[in-house]
Amino acid sequence: MKYRIIVIFFLLIQFTYAQLPKREFRGVWVATVNNIDWPSKPGLTTEQQKQEIIEILDQHKKNGMNAVIFQVRPAGDAFYPSSLEPWSQYLTGVPGKAPYPYYDPLLTWIDETHKRGMEFHAWCNPYRVSQDVKQPLAGNHVAFSHPEWIIRYGDKLYFDPGNPEVRKFVTSVIADIVFRYDVDAIHFDDYFYPYKIPGEEFPDTASFRLYNNGFTGLDDWRRHNVDLVIQMLSETIKQTKPWVKFGISPFGVWRNREDDPRGSETSAGQTNYDNLYADILKWQEQNWIDYVAPQLYWRIGHPQVDFKTLCDWWAAYSYGKNVYVGQAAYKVNPKSNTDAWRKGGEIESQISYLRQNKNVSGSIYFSSRSFKNDLFGLQEELKNHYYRDPAIIPSMPWIDDKPPRMPKLRKGSGKKIKWKNKPVDNEMDKAVRMLVYINKKGEVFNSEESRFMFDLVAGKKLRFVKTKGKKQKYEIRVSAIDRGNNESKISKPVKMKL
């Protein structure tokens, strides 16, 4: 018994001081459609909306996140001033109505996210026009000037993916965002062609007759339509700003093995390839996208769609692109009918598993609002264990592998450090974040050990917060992180009592 206690204590100490990944994507989706995450309801004042932004970002920074995936175009609308699409109804409750007092929500989200040393990914939906045909559209919506672009399926409205003018329009919307705003990435979710409704065929036969491009089968033609828009978007994004990444978050199953030898050992009812007409693997092979974030919203051991099976499958078919696993924080609930979600610990087990796979480099959680719930202490586990130390977002050498210049560091007044980055000619090499390292004087410093990483910060200085306790001598260093998440050489240390 005594031996068992000693072993358990030793394992706990090992876990507490375990080396964490130096590079890892830790993101959270912030959904605006139907006011899922933000704003909490339509019609809030500008100050109330801004206060919610700050509270959300502060919470995720404390939990160890380093990226926010914010939904800027949920349904053919905009969370920013646009000449192409109307203001979203989820802001004010009225389609096309600007917030009052006037401000730019997207700009505010970007500035506040970057201020916290985090990346901002602009999440857009390509084809959704309306969540409900009974909902009114703004008077200046493109649906009125181009009704031939719009299709009704079930009780929703969609842009017609088979219409070439739709592809051009969607591309122009994304190009406008990339050109005008300092986004780190453009992010698309799983909604390409809509999920199938039993007994109802998607009504695009007219477009097929007009724009079939020699295809004789609807399925291959539909996949071709989505391929075209992804290729157009990829080329446009990189031509506008080469450093802006393009990521896709698909449904968790590409194809089942019974339908394709490359498919996963699953039995999903619908798949990306067969039902949503999204050939994700082709986009990775063709270098059209930079990362994939499959939505693996199932538990470990699920009989049809097992988390571990799918995690390993996506890792095996990464084609050299970054893989971030979408995890279902929203399912953690004491009222769940599933033991794994009702008792807690499932998300933590999933993190531990995905970290064992060298081709998986992080997580994205759906969704932000879930972290306001207890989640059986998941937030504390992230802060104290899994995300205890900060992490640099994985780099993408196919975009850029040149590190920025080493910064110069000096000690300021009080408990402050300041740094200076040399000017650059190429925007790609610009330092956008600083990684602060800290170690006790006399301790052997190793930049590859996460425990020496203090924080990822923006700006030109950092003031250490005073806390109670005996002061000790520390060495502080900084490195610069550029737009491609390449790290510079580490500065010479400054010494400080903290």
Side-chain angles (χ1 to χ4, degrees), residues 364-426:
I364 309 178
Y365 299 93
F366 191 86
S367 68
S368 177
R369 183 176 63 179
S370 304
F371 287 90
K372 292 182 178 180
N373 302 327
D374 175 55
L375 303 182
F376 299 102
L378 172 63
Q379 298 91 324
E380 295 303 313
E381 286 295 302
L382 294 179
K383 284 186 281 190
N384 297 327
H385 298 299
Y386 295 94
Y387 294 170
R388 179 194 65 228
D389 304 326
I392 307 171
I393 288 174
S395 61
M396 296 179 176
W398 57 90
I399 297 178
D400 173 44
D401 61 359
K402 180 184 175 183
R405 294 177 177 178
M406 182 179 73
K408 288 185 177 180
L409 177 66
R410 67 182 179 88
K411 187 163 61 174
S413 58
K415 303 302 177 186
K416 187 189 297 181
I417 55 172
K418 296 181 177 181
W419 51 82
K420 187 174 183 180
N421 291 299
K422 293 181 179 179
V424 295
D425 297 326
N426 188 344

Side-chain angles (χ1 to χ4, degrees), residues 69-293:
I69 298 88
F70 176 78
Q71 194 173 30
V72 303
R73 184 186 189 252
D77 51 4
F79 274 78
Y80 57 95
S82 170
S83 61
L84 298 171
E85 296 188 300
W87 282 102
S88 176
Q89 63 177 321
Y90 303 119
L91 272 171
T92 62
V94 180
K97 183 179 179 181
Y100 181 84
Y102 182 85
Y103 82 115
D104 185 338
L106 176 53
L107 184 61
T108 302
W109 268 99
I110 293 171
D111 288 347
E112 291 293 337
T113 301
H114 285 166
K115 192 186 296 182
R116 289 160 177 77
M118 303 164 74
E119 275 199 350
F120 182 92
H121 293 215
W123 168 17
C124 304
N125 183 281
Y127 298 131
R128 189 163 55 206
V129 173
S130 173
Q131 285 285 80
D132 189 334
V133 293
K134 296 177 182 178
Q135 291 177 344
L137 298 176
N140 62 338
H141 198 287
V142 71
F144 295 114
S145 54
H146 289 283
E148 72 278 10
W149 292 1
I150 310 302
I151 283 179
R152 175 175 177 169
Y153 186 53
D155 60 355
K156 295 179 174 61
L157 297 178
Y158 300 91
F159 286 108
D160 180 1
N163 190 311
E165 294 305 311
V166 165
R167 292 193 288 272
K168 291 178 184 177
F169 178 74
V170 171
T171 302
S172 67
V173 169
I174 302 305
D176 181 53
I177 293 172
V178 174
F179 179 76
R180 291 168 52 203
Y181 293 94
D182 187 19
V183 299
D184 298 292
I186 292 294
H187 179 100
F188 275 28
D189 53 29
D190 52 322
Y191 292 99
F192 291 97
Y193 277 82
Y195 285 86
K196 287 187 178 296
I197 299 172
E200 184 174 350
E201 185 65 26
F202 190 72
D204 58 353
T205 51
S207 295
F208 181 63
R209 287 196 300 269
L210 289 171
Y211 311 114
N212 60 64
N213 290 318
F215 283 91
T216 56
L218 268 174
D219 288 0
D220 289 336
W221 174 70
R222 287 170 177 168
R223 274 187 288 274
H224 177 66
N225 293 333
V226 184
D227 288 347
L228 287 175
V229 78
I230 294 298
Q231 183 180 12
M232 288 172 65
L233 287 166
S234 178
E235 292 172 354
T236 299
I237 289 166
K238 293 298 189 284
Q239 288 168 4
T240 306
K241 289 179 180 174
W243 58 87
V244 173
K245 299 173 276 286
F246 186 24
I248 303 289
S249 177
F251 176 70
V253 178
W254 175 71
R255 295 195 87 186
N256 295 313
R257 178 69 58 85
E258 66 179 8
D259 299 315
D260 194 301
R262 286 197 299 174
S264 53
E265 288 287 359
T266 52
S267 52
Q270 298 200 44
T271 69
N272 286 289
Y273 185 93
D274 299 290
N275 304 104
L276 305 180
Y277 305 103
D279 190 358
I280 317 295
L281 298 194
K282 180 178 181 179
W283 308 343
Q284 292 169 283
E285 287 181 285
Q286 296 295 323
N287 298 314
W288 293 340
I289 62 176
D290 300 304
Y291 71 82
V292 63

